[in-house]
Amino acid sequence: MRKFFALLLGFILALSLCGCTPKTEYDDKEIARIQSAWVEGMSAFRCDYVRIFDFETGTVTDICQADIDELPEEVLPNEYREGYNTPKTVTTFTEEQGQSFLKKTKSLGFLAWKDRYETDDIICDGGHETVTVTFTDGTVKSTYIYYKDPPNYEKIRTAFTDLLGASLYWQRQSV
């Protein structure tokens, strides 16, 4: 009986050391794009800061999506409206960089993220993040993040910067 438990423990340890991650229904699918978005909490109006990693063209694009036509001048003066809802290419990446990124993030369990990660604390500021993966067959997988990080979140965020040349989220400097 001790041998059985020792073998079982050894097998589990070996699996954890080799970086095996849970198999998902998405593992064999080809990724077309990854879109990340964050919404600032407690802001004067809703604005989605969207970053798109397009694996078919090798481009990273930012767009600040807002329904600015409905906003009065007092909330957003006309001189600040330029740049909203206008895509801007941030950087490019090669097919090899894209493949290295996908291999790394899949090994970290990126495609195994659940649909939602939310804090149990009551914050209610409206701010949140969303990561949406679109596959070439049209399948979509989305993860909503509200003050609770998915597994290996920081390692996966680092992979975006290190391997694709842009962070997972667009950090607003100016629109």
Side-chain angles (χ1 to χ4, degrees), residues 70-164:
E70 301 297 319
L71 294 174
E73 168 81 16
E74 304 83 54
V75 175
L76 183 66
N78 284 331
E79 63 266 21
Y80 295 111
R81 293 175 187 249
E82 187 178 321
Y84 284 92
N85 302 320
T86 305
K88 181 177 106 179
T89 299
V90 177
T91 191
T92 60
F93 57 92
T94 66
E95 185 177 340
E96 293 78 22
Q97 289 171 307
Q99 292 304 316
S100 294
F101 166 81
L102 294 172
K103 182 179 178 183
K104 173 75 172 178
T105 56
K106 283 180 181 181
S107 75
L108 291 170
F110 178 54
L111 296 179
W113 281 0
K114 296 186 284 186
D115 293 342
R116 300 179 80 79
Y117 292 90
E118 299 179 73
T119 183
D120 292 332
D121 300 330
I122 298 174
I123 297 175
C124 298
D125 71 350
H128 63 273
E129 303 165 359
T130 307
V131 178
T132 304
V133 180
T134 304
F135 299 90
T136 56
D137 69 357
T139 303
V140 176
K141 179 190 183 336
S142 190
T143 300
Y144 173 86
I145 303 165
Y146 184 72
Y147 295 100
K148 181 178 181 182
D149 294 344
N152 291 319
Y153 185 66
E154 288 306 319
K155 290 179 182 177
I156 291 168
R157 284 182 61 164
T158 299
F160 275 88
T161 303
D162 293 349
L163 300 170
L164 299 180

Side-chain angles (χ1 to χ4, degrees), residues 30-35 50 52-56 132-136:
E30 189 174 332
I31 293 177
R33 69 188 236 170
I34 298 172
Q35 177 175 308
V50 178
I52 300 167
F53 297 85
D54 189 322
F55 287 83
E56 294 174 338
T132 304
V133 180
T134 304
F135 299 90
T136 56

Side-chain angles (χ1 to χ4, degrees), residues 17-35:
L17 291 175
C18 75
C20 295
T21 56
K23 185 95 171 123
T24 73
E25 63 187 278
Y26 307 104
D27 289 340
D28 297 327
K29 295 184 181 290
E30 189 174 332
I31 293 177
R33 69 188 236 170
I34 298 172
Q35 177 175 308

